[in-house]
Amino acid sequence: MKKECVAMLLAGGQGSRLKALTRHVAKPAVPFGGKYRIIDFPLSNCVNSGIDTVGVLTQYRPLELNSYIGNGQPWDLDRSDGGVHILPPYLGENEEGSWYKGTANAICQNINFIDQYDPEYVLILSGDHIYKMDYAKMLEHHKRMGAACTISVLEVTMEEASRFGIMNVNENDQIYEFEEKPKKPKSNLASMGIYIFTWSKLRKYLLDDDADPNSSNDFGKNIIPAMLAKKEILTAYRFKGYWRDVGTIDSLWDANMDMLSSDAGINLSDEDDWTIYARTPTKPPHFVGEDAKVTHSLLTGGCQVEGEVDHSVLFHSVTVEPGASVHYSILMPGAVVKAGSRVDYAIVAEDAVIESGAVVGAPPAEKEDGSWDIAVVAQGVKVGKNATVAPAAMVTKNVKEGAKV
């Protein structure tokens, strides 16, 4: 059946800057905000925007992500017509097997998937951003401007602009120049990595780009410059709202802490307005013991807290034993903090265990670059009794009793 718009969600990133947290899962599958995974945000945005056909392009460590998405039921994407589809790289006739070479090549490899829905427009999304956005409004803008491509942009400070792809526009917000991380930016309109293309236009550019052996097969480096060179109409769509790229340890920690703030700009409690859906396990209510102390924190079902928790985010099935304290930290599903241990400014990944008397992280010293020195304990790792994990340490294997890392 013909669809007006098909979404293609790029979810194959390794997320190397998240280091220990993506040793076993792709970045879009990393837990976030107490009950979600990062990919829940673009998937939920699609459904809330009325887009019911989504291709999820997986690549790096796809097993957990594929299992999590399943048939798409939590996001109302278990449709017989459309719905969600997992699209890994594949081997074609007379071809050598390879990963997706770039963002544009990933879409090009799936032209047949898109063609079967014969869409007028294609929405390209990233699977590693935290935000709420009505893509239908962006599509309306695209149509109104008669554009071949619309790029969602966010205003950043001029000091930050050199870290982004920057769109230079005229008085009508038509893009006349794209600069990738310019040393001296001319504007502060940063690309969010969200694109709407008129499919008949994009299809041709994808095939031409894929035939070029010297191309990086990337939207920012190749497709968009090619369209600008051919004088296609490219327009900027200005987004005003909360948006975070959670590609680093500090940014992931920051965004989780934002969930505790009433004025951060994103509200996960507006169930009637813009629900973020997730596949969540059925767990008993969280339990807070008689002597426990919980301050300004998120607790999810199945948590058992007998110690002290302050300004922290606890996922399901987390245990904080009596005498243990957790401050400004993220405890992912199944993490255990045993009696008498202390966790400060840290991310403790799934099923990790902090044994009694251990100390993980510390309150940050004031730093000019604004970083937090977040300590990270990887999935399934055990930090032994009375061991010490220093601020900013990245622990990927078990720590012996009394050891310092």
Side-chain angles (χ1 to χ4, degrees), residues 371-386:
S371 61
W372 294 101
D373 281 345
I374 303 302
V376 176
V377 179
Q379 180 177 338
V381 166
K382 180 181 290 187
V383 177
K385 292 181 180 180
N386 301 314

Side-chain angles (χ1 to χ4, degrees), residues 109 137 218 284 311:
Q109 281 198 36
K137 291 182 179 179
D218 183 81
H311 282 79

Side-chain angles (χ1 to χ4, degrees), residues 179-214:
E179 295 182 291
E180 182 65 36
K181 299 180 179 179
K183 292 182 179 179
K184 295 182 178 181
K186 300 173 187 174
S187 88
N188 65 338
L189 296 181
S191 171
M192 298 167 62
I194 300 169
Y195 313 105
I196 290 179
F197 290 94
T198 298
W199 176 233
S200 58
K201 293 277 189 179
L202 176 60
R203 194 181 192 281
K204 178 181 181 302
Y205 281 94
L206 287 175
L207 292 173
D208 288 347
D209 181 70
D210 208 53
D212 181 358
N214 298 315

Side-chain angles (χ1 to χ4, degrees), residues 278-301:
R279 185 182 296 280
T280 53
T282 301
K283 295 290 178 180
H286 69 261
F287 174 78
V288 178
E290 183 177 359
D291 297 323
K293 181 180 179 182
V294 178
T295 308
H296 201 65
S297 297
L298 287 177
L299 306 184
T300 312

Side-chain angles (χ1 to χ4, degrees), residues 3-8 10 51 103-104 107-108 114 118-125 135 138-139 141-143 146-152 167 175 191 193-206 218-228 232-235:
K3 298 286 184 178
E4 180 183 36
C5 185
V6 169
M8 300 293 279
L10 300 166
I51 297 171
T103 53
I107 304 302
C108 191
I114 299 171
D118 191 23
E120 292 184 53
Y121 309 102
V122 172
L123 170 66
I124 310 295
L125 302 170
Y135 303 135
M138 183 177 173
L139 182 56
H141 174 85
H142 179 85
K143 295 177 185 176
C149 171
T150 296
I151 301 171
S152 186
M167 303 297 156
I175 300 167
S191 171
I194 300 169
Y195 313 105
I196 290 179
F197 290 94
T198 298
W199 176 233
S200 58
K201 293 277 189 179
L202 176 60
R203 194 181 192 281
K204 178 181 181 302
Y205 281 94
L206 287 175
D218 183 81
F219 280 106
K221 295 177 181 177
N222 306 107
I223 300 296
I224 292 170
M227 296 182 86
L228 285 170
E232 300 282 6
I233 298 176
L234 277 72
T235 181

Side-chain angles (χ1 to χ4, degrees), residues 127-393:
D128 52 8
H129 300 151
I130 303 298
Y131 65 113
K132 292 183 177 183
M133 182 176 180
D134 188 345
Y135 303 135
K137 291 182 179 179
M138 183 177 173
L139 182 56
E140 289 173 7
H141 174 85
H142 179 85
K143 295 177 185 176
R144 186 169 61 251
M145 299 293 288
C149 171
T150 296
I151 301 171
S152 186
V153 297
L154 193 70
E155 292 186 16
V156 299
T157 66
M158 291 302 290
E159 290 75 21
E160 293 178 295
S162 60
R163 299 193 294 110
F164 294 90
I166 295 298
M167 303 297 156
N168 298 321
V169 302
N170 64 18
E171 64 277 7
N172 297 316
D173 276 345
Q174 284 194 17
I175 300 167
Y176 64 84
E177 185 180 30
F178 170 73
E179 295 182 291
E180 182 65 36
K181 299 180 179 179
K183 292 182 179 179
K184 295 182 178 181
K186 300 173 187 174
S187 88
N188 65 338
L189 296 181
S191 171
M192 298 167 62
I194 300 169
Y195 313 105
I196 290 179
F197 290 94
T198 298
W199 176 233
S200 58
K201 293 277 189 179
L202 176 60
R203 194 181 192 281
K204 178 181 181 302
Y205 281 94
L206 287 175
L207 292 173
D208 288 347
D209 181 70
D210 208 53
D212 181 358
N214 298 315
S215 175
S216 299
N217 304 123
D218 183 81
F219 280 106
K221 295 177 181 177
N222 306 107
I223 300 296
I224 292 170
M227 296 182 86
L228 285 170
K230 292 289 183 68
K231 305 299 182 182
E232 300 282 6
I233 298 176
L234 277 72
T235 181
Y237 176 74
R238 295 174 184 255
F239 175 74
K240 297 184 183 298
Y242 183 95
W243 179 85
R244 292 288 184 274
D245 181 340
V246 287
T248 65
I249 295 297
D250 270 15
S251 63
L252 180 66
W253 182 89
D254 267 330
N256 273 275
M257 293 299 112
D258 283 346
M259 300 304 105
L260 302 174
S261 173
S262 59
D263 60 358
I266 186 168
N267 179 10
L268 296 182
S269 301
D270 53 349
E271 292 294 321
D272 296 330
D273 182 27
W274 202 267
T275 302
I276 300 300
Y277 302 96
R279 185 182 296 280
T280 53
T282 301
K283 295 290 178 180
H286 69 261
F287 174 78
V288 178
E290 183 177 359
D291 297 323
K293 181 180 179 182
V294 178
T295 308
H296 201 65
S297 297
L298 287 177
L299 306 184
T300 312
C303 287
Q304 296 187 49
V305 179
E306 302 276 2
E308 179 182 347
V309 175
D310 175 46
H311 282 79
S312 294
V313 176
L314 275 59
F315 286 75
H316 73 80
S317 308
V318 164
T319 300
V320 180
E321 292 187 352
S325 64
V326 177
H327 300 271
Y328 289 89
S329 294
I330 303 163
L331 305 185
M332 292 184 174
V336 177
V337 181
K338 293 198 172 181
S341 57
R342 182 179 179 92
V343 177
D344 280 322
Y345 288 82
I347 300 175
V348 180
E350 297 178 65
D351 300 319
V353 177
I354 312 303
E355 293 285 2
S356 58
V359 175
V360 176
E366 187 172 347
K367 300 181 72 175
E368 290 184 5
D369 63 2
S371 61
W372 294 101
D373 281 345
I374 303 302
V376 176
V377 179
Q379 180 177 338
V381 166
K382 180 181 290 187
V383 177
K385 292 181 180 180
N386 301 314
T388 301
V389 174

